[in-house]
Amino acid sequence: MSNAQVNDILSIVQIYLDGLYEGDTAKLRQSFHPASSLFAVAADGKLVNMPREDWCKAVESRPSPKANGQGREHERILSVDITGPNTALVKLNCAILPRFFTDYLSLIKLDGRWQVISKTFVAETLAS
């Protein structure tokens, strides 16, 4: 694992976090491959499989954390695991209050740049 690889991956992750915080779907599209999807287990125990464009539409339809005056103190990159020249996994925490997320971002390197190919996440909501 080279410092350059880690820095390239962290740059993409930062674009993702900025896009999420700002509600900027151009940044989300920049960091996620067009064929990417988001996965989670819903409250009813069923699989959620949301393609990137459906997710971007959902982001566009809600106020961003920045617009709501939320800070970024809950953002933490917990680990970066580079498993080859073209694959990596990043675990991180972030929040869209009152929900706190743990994200697992699977990245691939295509055409010389890292992109998120899938996001698996869990969300916890704090009781008010």
Side-chain angles (χ1 to χ4, degrees):
M1 169 178 2
S2 74
N3 285 340
Q5 282 180 308
V6 172
N7 289 339
D8 289 346
I9 289 166
L10 292 178
S11 292
I12 290 299
V13 171
Q14 190 60 55
I15 292 168
Y16 158 66
L17 288 170
D18 291 346
L20 194 62
Y21 178 71
E22 299 164 6
D24 185 337
T25 55
K27 289 180 179 177
L28 296 176
R29 287 181 178 100
Q30 180 183 350
S31 57
F32 278 67
H33 187 277
S36 63
S37 287
L38 289 74
F39 299 94
V41 177
D44 64 3
K46 295 192 176 170
L47 177 67
V48 174
N49 177 355
M50 184 180 299
R52 180 188 80 168
E53 285 310 305
D54 292 352
W55 175 51
C56 285
K57 289 175 189 170
V59 169
E60 291 168 347
S61 71
R62 67 179 184 224
S64 70
K66 182 178 181 179
N68 284 338
Q70 178 183 322
R72 298 181 78 164
E73 63 274 8
H74 302 289
E75 292 179 4
R76 287 181 187 75
I77 295 173
L78 302 172
S79 65
V80 177
D81 182 8
I82 300 173
T83 55
N86 300 311
T87 57
L89 180 69
V90 175
K91 180 181 178 183
L92 62 89
N93 293 138
C94 59
I96 302 174
L97 297 177
R99 297 175 74 197
F100 293 84
F101 295 85
T102 299
D103 292 350
Y104 294 87
L105 305 178
S106 294
L107 293 96
I108 55 172
K109 188 173 185 181
L110 289 172
D111 301 323
R113 76 177 194 91
W114 289 97
Q115 302 167 71
V116 178
I117 193 64
S118 72
K119 171 182 165 176
T120 302
F121 66 96
V122 62
E124 298 175 277
T125 302
L126 286 187
S128 338

